[in-house]
Coordinates of all heavy atoms in Angstrom, one line a residue:
A331 N 24.8 1.6 -10.0 CA 23.4 2.1 -9.7 C 23.5 3.7 -9.6 O 22.6 4.4 -10.2 CB 22.9 1.6 -8.4
Y332 N 24.5 4.2 -9.0 CA 24.6 5.6 -8.8 C 25.1 6.4 -10.0 O 24.6 7.5 -10.3 CB 25.5 6.0 -7.6 CG 24.9 5.6 -6.3 CD1 25.7 5.0 -5.3 CD2 23.6 5.9 -6.0 CE1 25.2 4.7 -4.0 CE2 23.0 5.5 -4.7 CZ 23.9 5.0 -3.8 OH 23.3 4.6 -2.6
S333 N 26.0 5.8 -10.8 CA 26.6 6.5 -11.9 C 25.8 6.3 -13.2 O 25.9 7.1 -14.1 CB 28.0 5.9 -12.2 OG 28.0 4.5 -12.5
G334 N 24.8 5.4 -13.2 CA 24.0 5.1 -14.4 C 23.2 6.4 -14.8 O 23.0 6.6 -16.0
G335 N 22.8 7.1 -13.8 CA 22.0 8.3 -14.1 C 22.8 9.5 -14.5 O 22.2 10.6 -14.9
Y336 N 24.1 9.4 -14.5 CA 25.0 10.6 -14.8 C 25.8 10.3 -16.1 O 26.8 11.0 -16.3 CB 25.9 10.9 -13.6 CG 25.1 11.6 -12.6 CD1 24.4 10.9 -11.6 CD2 25.1 13.0 -12.5 CE1 23.7 11.6 -10.6 CE2 24.4 13.7 -11.5 CZ 23.7 13.0 -10.6 OH 23.0 13.7 -9.6
I337 N 25.4 9.4 -16.9 CA 26.1 9.1 -18.2 C 26.2 10.4 -19.0 O 27.3 10.7 -19.6 CB 25.5 8.0 -18.9 CG1 25.6 6.6 -18.2 CG2 26.1 7.8 -20.3 CD1 27.0 6.2 -17.9
A338 N 25.1 11.1 -19.2 CA 25.1 12.3 -20.0 C 26.1 13.3 -19.5 O 26.8 14.0 -20.3 CB 23.7 12.9 -20.1
L339 N 26.1 13.5 -18.2 CA 27.1 14.4 -17.6 C 28.5 14.1 -17.8 O 29.3 14.9 -18.2 CB 26.8 14.5 -16.1 CG 27.7 15.5 -15.3 CD1 27.5 16.9 -15.7 CD2 27.4 15.3 -13.8
L340 N 28.8 12.8 -17.7 CA 30.2 12.3 -18.0 C 30.6 12.5 -19.4 O 31.7 12.9 -19.8 CB 30.3 10.8 -17.6 CG 30.1 10.5 -16.1 CD1 30.2 9.0 -15.9 CD2 31.2 11.2 -15.2
M341 N 29.6 12.2 -20.3 CA 29.8 12.5 -21.8 C 30.1 13.9 -22.1 O 31.0 14.3 -22.9 CB 28.6 12.0 -22.6 CG 28.5 10.4 -22.5 SD 26.9 9.9 -23.3 CE 27.2 10.4 -25.0
T342 N 29.4 14.8 -21.4 CA 29.6 16.2 -21.5 C 31.0 16.7 -21.1 O 31.7 17.4 -21.8 CB 28.6 17.0 -20.7 OG1 27.2 16.7 -21.1 CG2 28.7 18.5 -20.9
F343 N 31.4 16.1 -20.0 CA 32.8 16.4 -19.5 C 33.8 16.0 -20.5 O 34.8 16.7 -20.9 CB 33.1 15.7 -18.2 CG 32.4 16.4 -17.0 CD1 31.9 15.6 -16.0 CD2 32.2 17.7 -16.9 CE1 31.2 16.2 -14.9 CE2 31.5 18.3 -15.9 CZ 31.1 17.5 -14.8
M344 N 33.7 14.8 -21.1 CA 34.6 14.2 -22.0 C 34.6 15.0 -23.3 O 35.6 15.4 -23.9 CB 34.4 12.8 -22.3 CG 35.4 12.1 -23.2 SD 35.4 10.3 -23.2 CE 36.1 10.0 -21.6

Side-chain angles (χ1 to χ4, degrees):
Y332 290 138
S333 63
Y336 283 85
I337 294 298
L339 179 62
L340 297 176
M341 292 172 66
T342 302
F343 286 145
M344 183 166 288

